[in-house]
Amino acid sequence: ALALRHAIRAPGAAVAEIESRLDLAALQADTGQPDAALAGYREARARLDLEAGPRHPLQVAIGRQVAAVLRRQGHPGRAEQVL
């Protein structure tokens, strides 16, 4: 899905690709790969900043996912900072 969305060059395609990256990061988090998940979330957030700006609604979802991973890793203080 990620490769297909990456190949599309239509309005909104960049955000759709970012959504696929978020799905992959969530899968990584769920399968015990928190470092890979956090890297994926950070990459998605940076790309979303470039493509749609820091106030895009997906930014909130990314923040929540990052905070959830950090809490599971035992970093509640860092999780709070993300939100």
Side-chain angles (χ1 to χ4, degrees), residues 58-73:
L58 274 179
Q59 294 288 9
V60 174
I62 295 170
R64 287 181 180 151
Q65 295 298 327
V66 169
V69 172
L70 290 171
R71 275 193 311 272
R72 284 190 295 243
Q73 285 186 310

Side-chain angles (χ1 to χ4, degrees), residues 1-9 13-25 27-28 40 43-44 47:
L2 182 58
L4 289 174
R5 285 188 169 181
H6 183 72
I8 298 171
R9 296 290 166 219
V15 173
E17 180 185 338
I18 292 163
E19 288 174 332
S20 288
R21 292 185 185 279
L22 292 175
D23 291 342
L24 177 59
L27 180 63
Q28 290 168 323
E43 181 183 327
R47 179 91 190 275

